Amino acid sequence: MNGLNDGPSEQVMRRQASPSGPAESEGGLPEQAWTLLFELLHTHMRNFPALAAEFELSPVQAHVLRQLGEGALAMSTLANYLSCDASNVTGLVDRLEARGLVERKSSEQDRRVKMLVLTEAGAELRGRLMARLSAPPPLIAAMPDEDLAALRDIMRRALKTQ
């Protein structure tokens, strides 16, 4: 166990064994960091239903608009993304379509496949929604610039590995 050729499990065991504070008993550094990040996001997302309601959207409708910002999406892909049956997506899309936020189009490759695209009104609403979602919670916004830059850089590195 010299640390140079240890596998991931040996490295985790060594981190857990190093007594550097009470938080160490909750797992190694990766587990602690992930737990804290998850708690931060979970706490912030508790406000998501109210935020979606500001735009007269359900939370699921808001997720759909967010996802559609990346381009056209097959309804079956959306069902997979939402972890639901395609029949549930139909009703959801019907309501968004009735508001003029999305439209169904046939896929150019397979006309049986229905693609969802944002309308101009949907793109505008999505832009406002995304701006609102991008507003950091007060405790994050109040952090020193040095901490914010470090946090941003760490999150960028973490996302690059996905």
Side-chain angles (χ1 to χ4, degrees), residues 16-158:
Q16 289 173 337
S18 62
S20 44
E24 281 293 313
S25 65
E26 297 172 15
L29 286 175
E31 292 82 5
Q32 292 172 37
W34 178 245
T35 299
L36 291 170
L37 179 60
F38 185 82
E39 285 300 315
L40 174 67
L41 293 173
H42 183 70
T43 299
H44 185 61
M45 291 309 290
R46 286 185 191 136
N47 300 324
F48 189 69
L51 188 145
E54 290 176 24
F55 299 94
E56 298 178 13
L57 297 168
S58 71
V60 176
Q61 289 173 326
H63 281 299
V64 169
L65 290 183
R66 182 181 175 276
Q67 190 70 23
L68 286 175
E70 297 174 14
L73 192 65
M75 287 185 60
S76 59
T77 302
L78 180 60
N80 287 336
Y81 169 71
L82 297 174
S83 299
C84 69
D85 191 71
S87 62
N88 294 334
V89 171
T90 300
L92 176 66
V93 171
D94 287 346
R95 289 186 290 281
L96 289 169
E97 199 171 35
R99 287 188 56 189
L101 301 175
V102 301
E103 61 184 7
R104 292 174 174 100
K105 293 186 175 187
S106 293
S107 168
E108 293 177 10
Q109 289 79 25
D110 184 347
R111 295 187 52 77
R112 297 171 296 174
V113 175
K114 295 299 178 194
M115 304 296 290
L116 298 175
V117 294
L118 288 173
T119 62
E120 191 174 316
E124 187 275 328
L125 180 65
R126 182 189 182 278
R128 291 190 293 129
L129 174 67
M130 295 308 294
R132 186 75 172 77
L133 284 170
S134 297
L139 291 175
I140 296 291
M143 293 175 85
D145 286 349
E146 182 177 310
D147 290 350
L148 290 171
L151 182 60
R152 178 203 58 210
D153 294 345
I154 290 167
M155 293 296 103
R156 279 183 179 159
R157 285 195 311 269

Side-chain angles (χ1 to χ4, degrees), residues 8-21:
S9 60
E10 290 86 2
Q11 293 170 2
V12 168
M13 288 172 46
R14 191 173 47 258
R15 274 193 222 111
Q16 289 173 337
S18 62
S20 44

